[in-house]
Amino acid sequence: MTTMPEKSKIQYLDILRTLATIGVIIIHTSSPVLNMAYGHSMSEWWVGNIFDSASRFAVPLFLMLSGATLLGKEYPLAVFFKKRMMRVLVPFLFWMLVYWVYRWLMLQPHQQPQQPDDIIQWAVRLFLDEGISKHFWYIYMIIFIYLFIPFIGKVVRQASEKQLFFALLAWMLLCFTTSSMNLSFYKWTGDYEYKLLGYLQYSGFVVLGYFLNKVEIKFSKRRLVAGVTYVLSVVFCALAAYYMSKSDGRLNLKVYSYFSINTIIQAVAIFVLIKGIVTENNSLSKICSIISDYSYGIYLVHIIIIGALFRNGIYWSFAHPIVSLPLLLLMVLLSSMIVIFFIRRIPGGKYISG
């Protein structure tokens, strides 16, 4: 097996993390188009559908990057958990408090609890019903998976490539057979056994990332095949969302599921397409490096940025979505980076910014 040059390895991981970050923002800015335009303005709905269908790889890719960077090494347990706590848990605890305050401020004055006991009850209820903010589901899930990363790493490092390949096929079969389950990862009340199953299924993406990072595909046209596969996955997802919705007489986006075979194929295609890429464009390389470094903080703060823009009348409908969605992406991405940049400049800010 050939060894990938270190520069290539670092750059392609930065590029993938940048794409995953951009993909998450696209999902959260385009999803309102799908819900608001369906049945009213189908030309606008199609734009949102295509944008969203093209970004389904985002969350799986974040998990795959965790596998690619963490599973190949053996860490003393104390060192691993301390490092993960400082990198993931400490910023998350800070942003949990920020979002509690933010959600309280967004209530109408007559809805805002004022007494300490009432505030505590409201905060607990918000956590149980929505996990404080719905995008936090990913953080709860990844923290759960991190508890088992050292043990998963030991297993996969001892397995052969053939064994990992068949294990991943079995995982895809499990995803396919459970795709009809309608799980809510947002709330913390009920369906605990199904949520546990979902968390375990998400860990399959971590192993997938390790496998794709380890295996060298020597097929000369692998990037062409990966690129075509990605485009086909977008077309399939967009058409399936349309026809499934038309058949049901209401919006049906089950094909968007991160556990759908199409989404898994899309994530693999993006990984293979970008793996090993080295760009000589220093500006592009620097931009990807910065976004990659800020990616966790961007994920944590971007929902507040989207909400602030929305309350000031800046959301997808200020222009046709083919114009508004790219502009929203740039505004949310740049604003989130600016917020994280300034938090990192205050004393101790680097520990809480993400």
Side-chain angles (χ1 to χ4, degrees), residues 41-277:
S41 177
M42 292 306 292
S43 65
E44 293 181 325
W45 182 85
W46 266 108
V47 174
N49 182 28
I50 292 170
F51 270 84
D52 215 321
S53 296
S55 306
R56 303 320 301 172
F57 64 84
V59 167
L61 194 55
F62 271 129
L63 291 165
M64 291 161 70
L65 285 164
S66 292
T69 55
L70 296 177
L71 291 185
K73 304 174 185 177
E74 185 168 3
Y75 307 86
L77 289 179
V79 173
F80 176 81
F81 288 123
K82 181 180 179 181
K83 189 173 182 180
R84 290 301 101 192
M85 182 183 71
M86 294 302 295
R87 176 72 181 90
V88 177
L89 187 57
V90 171
F92 184 47
L93 293 175
F94 167 75
W95 284 103
M96 286 174 70
L97 293 174
V98 170
Y99 273 87
W100 258 316
V101 173
Y102 167 74
R103 294 295 299 272
W104 185 86
L105 291 173
M106 291 305 100
L107 295 172
Q108 295 294 325
H110 69 278
Q111 295 176 320
Q112 293 174 338
Q114 301 294 331
Q115 299 302 318
D117 287 348
D118 294 333
I119 292 174
I120 291 172
Q121 289 179 16
W122 167 82
V124 170
R125 188 166 60 251
L126 185 64
F127 172 78
L128 293 175
D129 291 343
E130 296 184 30
I132 307 173
S133 179
K134 288 186 176 180
H135 75 304
F136 280 172
W137 75 269
Y138 174 82
I139 313 298
Y140 299 128
M141 179 264 296
I142 198 66
I143 289 173
F144 175 86
I145 291 176
Y146 277 164
L147 295 175
F148 301 95
I149 284 287
F151 311 104
I152 296 172
K154 281 188 176 182
V155 173
V156 299
R157 287 192 300 271
Q158 293 174 1
S160 66
E161 291 180 5
K162 186 176 180 180
Q163 288 172 326
L164 286 175
F165 177 77
F166 283 108
L168 288 168
L169 283 181
W171 165 70
M172 289 180 67
L173 179 62
L174 175 64
C175 290
F176 176 77
T177 56
T178 58
S179 60
S180 61
M181 290 195 309
N182 187 19
L183 298 180
S184 172
F185 291 95
Y186 304 132
K187 63 181 182 179
W188 285 100
T189 52
D191 297 330
Y192 300 113
E193 65 277 14
Y194 294 110
K195 183 172 290 176
L196 177 61
L197 172 62
Y199 283 2
L200 292 174
Q201 284 183 240
Y202 275 115
S203 67
F205 284 113
V206 179
V207 178
L208 178 61
Y210 167 81
F211 177 77
L212 292 176
N213 186 56
K214 178 182 178 184
V215 172
E216 291 300 323
I217 303 173
K218 298 180 180 180
F219 177 50
S220 60
K221 295 184 179 180
R222 65 188 182 280
R223 286 206 174 93
L224 175 61
V225 173
V228 171
T229 301
Y230 169 72
V231 172
L232 290 176
S233 75
V234 175
V235 172
F236 175 84
C237 187
L239 290 174
Y242 172 73
Y243 284 109
M244 289 169 67
S245 298
K246 186 177 180 180
S247 175
D248 285 2
R250 60 182 179 82
L251 195 59
N252 183 340
L253 301 177
K254 286 185 178 180
V255 70
Y256 280 10
S257 169
Y258 296 129
F259 294 139
S260 78
I261 301 301
N262 187 70
T263 298
I264 296 171
I265 290 172
Q266 185 180 110
V268 170
I270 287 288
F271 200 104
V272 173
L273 179 65
I274 301 301
K275 182 181 177 181
I277 281 183

Side-chain angles (χ1 to χ4, degrees), residues 282-310:
N282 290 331
S283 297
L284 180 60
S285 177
K286 183 66 174 177
I287 290 170
C288 287
S289 178
I290 293 172
I291 295 176
S292 175
D293 181 40
Y294 280 33
S295 60
Y296 185 41
I298 292 170
Y299 184 88
L300 290 167
V301 74
H302 80 282
I303 294 297
I304 289 179
I305 302 297
I306 292 173
L309 292 172
F310 184 88

